[in-house]
Amino acid sequence: EDKVVQSPLSLVVHEGDTVTLNCSYEVTNFRSLLWYKQEKKAPTFLFMLTSSGIEKKSGRLSSILDKKELFSILNITATQTGDSAVYLCAVPNYGGATNKLIFGTGTLLAVQP
Amino acid sequence: EPEVTQTPSHQVTQMGQEVILRCVPISNHLYFYWYRQILGQKVEFLVSFYNNEISEKSEIFDDQFSVERPDGSNFTLKIRSTKLEDSAMYFCASRDRGSMNTEAFFGQGTRLTVV
């Protein structure tokens, strides 16, 4: 059965800290991995990773994929209180007709002032 | 920026009642999805819809659930006879056809509370 596992489940840091969130996966027909940020309601898209070893970067956030070891990390540097959210990792299941997303449980990040 | 919109944002209904959750996907998107998230649990796939028919559905999506795209813009999820365990946040998502590697965009969700 396809699965996506995230760690840690929750994390409390202080503003300015750097955090690393982990996502491992076991999915057949793997082609890509996505990171979403979920604040109050809708998951908002952060990154899509398809190639191993190529870092994607957006401001203080960056992410990388390792297709050999089947994991991805999401780094946030110089954290701010606005980074507090649940970070979701998801992998499309390309074995089906429409690439439904398989989500991990998420990592709840709380950034304290 | 185009976005997926969902209504209502919150719905409270009595057990056994029918509910319809509405979504307007991004206009040029072709794949539509419903996901749900029970409080404290992971986001789960319910159903996908393409070319005016269901493409894939999960085991959660039983005979009590149905989806429709009645007018080319709205995409609805109907629960015929709600149960307490249907209480969850329901997310609609849409995706462009494009290549296989396009991300899904999510709506703000409808929080359904069954009492």
Side-chain angles (χ1 to χ4, degrees):
Chain A
E1 185 184 331
D2 294 340
K3 62 181 181 181
V4 177
V5 178
Q6 292 186 247
S7 64
L9 288 181
S10 65
L11 195 52
V12 180
V13 300
H14 288 99
E15 271 192 316
D17 289 350
T18 293
V19 297
T20 298
L21 310 182
N22 305 293
C23 175
S24 64
Y25 60 88
E26 290 177 30
V27 177
T28 52
N29 300 308
F30 177 86
R31 294 189 197 178
S32 63
L33 180 145
L34 293 87
W35 284 96
Y36 286 87
K37 178 181 181 183
Q38 185 178 27
E39 292 179 86
K40 290 184 181 169
K41 289 191 176 178
T44 52
F45 173 75
L46 293 174
F47 297 113
M48 174 182 280
L49 303 156
T50 56
S51 303
S52 261
I54 297 176
E55 186 183 57
K56 291 249 179 142
K57 202 168 168 62
S58 175
R60 296 175 293 101
L61 277 67
S62 63
S63 185
I64 198 159
L65 175 68
D66 185 329
K67 291 206 278 191
K68 185 178 173 188
E69 300 297 331
L70 309 183
F71 77 91
S72 173
I73 59 172
L74 175 69
N75 278 318
I76 310 175
T77 58
T79 50
Q80 301 170 356
T81 54
D83 295 326
S84 297
V86 174
Y87 289 85
L88 298 171
C89 175
V91 177
N93 179 326
Y94 288 98
T98 50
N99 306 346
K100 67 184 181 191
L101 293 174
I102 300 166
F103 282 88
T105 50
T107 293
L108 173 60
L109 174 65
V111 181
Q112 295 182 338
Chain B
E1 187 175 324
E3 59 181 18
V4 177
T5 56
Q6 289 185 242
T7 54
S9 56
H10 191 186
Q11 172 130 18
V12 181
T13 189
Q14 290 206 322
M15 195 167 54
Q17 295 296 304
E18 173 184 285
V19 295
I20 297 176
L21 310 184
R22 301 180 193 280
C23 169
V24 179
I26 294 172
S27 62
N28 61 338
H29 285 188
L30 297 177
Y31 294 91
F32 314 113
Y33 306 83
W34 284 100
Y35 291 84
R36 80 171 185 191
Q37 187 176 32
I38 294 171
L39 189 63
Q41 298 186 23
K42 61 171 72 175
V43 177
E44 304 173 285
F45 168 78
L46 290 178
V47 65
S48 58
F49 194 86
Y50 170 70
N51 202 26
N52 286 319
E53 60 183 18
I54 290 174
S55 295
E56 197 173 354
K57 58 184 180 180
S58 72
E59 54 201 31
I60 302 167
F61 194 88
D62 62 21
D63 292 344
Q64 292 301 311
F65 291 88
S66 62
V67 289
E68 260 194 332
R69 191 161 157 77
D71 57 12
S73 63
N74 291 290
F75 178 50
T76 61
L77 174 69
K78 183 194 289 187
I79 309 175
R80 262 179 272 282
S81 177
T82 49
K83 301 184 278 242
L84 293 176
E85 53 265 38
D86 294 327
S87 295
M89 182 73 91
Y90 288 80
F91 293 109
C92 173
S94 69
R95 186 170 69 84
D96 191 3
R97 185 171 191 170
S99 71
M100 293 289 277
N101 291 332
T102 54
E103 68 271 24
F105 291 86
F106 285 78
Q108 291 294 309
T110 293
R111 179 166 296 287
L112 176 66
T113 303
V114 182
V115 296

